[in-house]
Amino acid sequence: MPDVFTPCVVIPVYNHEHAIGKVLAQVLEYGMPCILVDDGSSPACAAELDRLAALHPGRVVLERHTVNQGKGGAVLTGFARAAREGYSHVLQVDADGQHAVADIPRFLDAARARPQAVVAGCPVYDESVPALRLYARYLTHVWVWINTLSLAIRDSMCGFRVYPVAPVLALAKRRRLGLRMNFDIEILVRLYWDGVEVVNLPTKVGYPEDGVSHFQAWTDNVLITRMHVALFFGMLPRIPSLLVRRWR
């Protein structure tokens, strides 16, 4: 791990041209350098990202995929750029305006205090959350608790979190991770398997009325189900080490 705590923000963007300007403005209020990753967006969104990057030279950099690779692919591109720029940590924020950007200082304080840990957002929902989505999350929570043999990860689906860059890049180098909506879950479980501590912080999450969701019910649920099965069989040979870690 680097001796100096130098965080940046990574925001994966796919057709969120109506929300990203406000999200970015809120992030920049905290003096954070920001990496926007255009994940093969429409011309309208691409133009808006070009405008925002040109409006904030030196504070905002733009990475671009010509073809959509999924949220995980965009986040990993942001990590690669963060490493090239010399940042030690990445604070991941979604582009749709769901996250409480005002919690950035609190999350960075927690990461600065425990720089080798992932600081993971644990959602506190308002009345805008769809009931079906809220209840469906608990199935994933149970699988994650099984696959880690612990309750260390309170929520594995919230995209508001701070990662140390080095262990993420080391994991991505040796293991192909899910690149779509399965990414947030899988990377947290596998980092935990690698011995990375997870710090859970509550954070408010809302669902804007005009928000754009790219969750594909059939495709993404199949991917997530397959991932849980793969993680379960990956957990089995790790049972002794996971139990030792839990007892400690």
Side-chain angles (χ1 to χ4, degrees), residues 229-245:
V229 172
L231 289 175
F232 175 76
F233 285 104
M235 175 272 295
L236 295 178
R238 292 178 170 88
I239 287 177
S241 61
L242 290 173
L243 290 176
V244 168
R245 179 176 179 180

Side-chain angles (χ1 to χ4, degrees), residues 1-6 86-89 115-116 164-167:
M1 293 292 295
D3 294 331
V4 180
F5 181 72
T6 52
Y87 294 111
S88 66
H89 289 71
Q116 297 185 10
V165 170

Side-chain angles (χ1 to χ4, degrees), residues 12 24 44 69 71 77 84 96 98 108 131 136 148 156 160-162 181 185 195 235:
L24 179 63
Q69 296 183 24
K71 180 182 181 181
T77 293
R84 294 198 300 270
D96 55 9
Q98 291 186 16
L108 292 180
T148 59
S156 62
F160 190 62
R161 52 181 69 159
V162 185
M181 294 300 182
I185 305 165
M235 175 272 295

Side-chain angles (χ1 to χ4, degrees), residues 1-8 32 88-92 103-121 160-165 196-201:
M1 293 292 295
D3 294 331
V4 180
F5 181 72
T6 52
C8 71
M32 292 290 294
S88 66
H89 289 71
V90 160
L91 191 156
Q92 177 186 326
D103 283 340
I104 282 179
R106 191 161 59 90
F107 274 64
L108 292 180
D109 285 346
R112 186 180 293 107
R114 300 163 94 165
Q116 297 185 10
V118 174
V119 180
F160 190 62
R161 52 181 69 159
V162 185
Y163 296 93
V165 170
V196 176
E197 179 188 7
V198 177
V199 176
N200 300 283
L201 282 188

Side-chain angles (χ1 to χ4, degrees), residues 18-34:
H18 300 298
I20 185 57
K22 181 178 180 181
V23 172
L24 179 63
Q26 293 173 333
V27 167
L28 294 178
E29 286 180 7
Y30 297 98
M32 292 290 294
C34 186

Side-chain angles (χ1 to χ4, degrees), residues 42-221:
S42 66
C45 185
E48 174 64 5
L49 294 176
D50 286 334
R51 185 188 72 84
L52 292 171
L55 188 63
H56 304 285
R59 303 181 68 193
V60 176
V61 297
L62 178 60
E63 291 281 332
R64 174 160 281 143
H65 294 164
T66 56
V67 177
N68 178 262
Q69 296 183 24
K71 180 182 181 181
V75 172
L76 290 175
T77 293
F79 268 97
R81 180 61 182 264
R84 294 198 300 270
E85 298 288 339
Y87 294 111
S88 66
H89 289 71
V90 160
L91 191 156
Q92 177 186 326
V93 180
D94 287 352
D96 55 9
Q98 291 186 16
H99 296 153
V101 178
D103 283 340
I104 282 179
R106 191 161 59 90
F107 274 64
L108 292 180
D109 285 346
R112 186 180 293 107
R114 300 163 94 165
Q116 297 185 10
V118 174
V119 180
C122 191
V124 178
Y125 292 106
D126 61 20
E127 62 280 359
S128 67
V129 60
L132 181 61
R133 185 171 296 185
L134 178 62
Y135 299 140
R137 296 175 73 95
Y138 283 95
L139 181 59
T140 279
H141 297 342
V142 170
W143 270 111
V144 168
W145 297 336
I146 291 171
N147 289 333
T148 59
L149 298 184
S150 79
L151 300 177
I153 300 172
R154 294 294 180 179
D155 187 286
S156 62
M157 301 184 75
C158 180
F160 190 62
R161 52 181 69 159
V162 185
Y163 296 93
V165 170
V168 170
L169 292 182
L171 172 60
K173 185 176 181 179
R174 75 173 193 272
R175 176 81 194 191
R176 180 175 174 81
L177 299 167
L179 297 181
R180 297 195 176 274
M181 294 300 182
N182 48 354
F183 171 80
D184 285 333
I185 305 165
E186 182 177 10
I187 192 172
L188 208 53
V189 170
R190 290 192 180 278
L191 286 173
Y192 181 85
W193 284 355
D194 284 351
V196 176
E197 179 188 7
V198 177
V199 176
N200 300 283
L201 282 188
T203 183
K204 291 182 179 180
V205 175
Y207 284 77
E209 291 184 5
D210 59 349
V212 177
S213 173
H214 298 298
F215 188 87
Q216 301 176 33
W218 171 253
T219 302
D220 287 320
N221 278 320

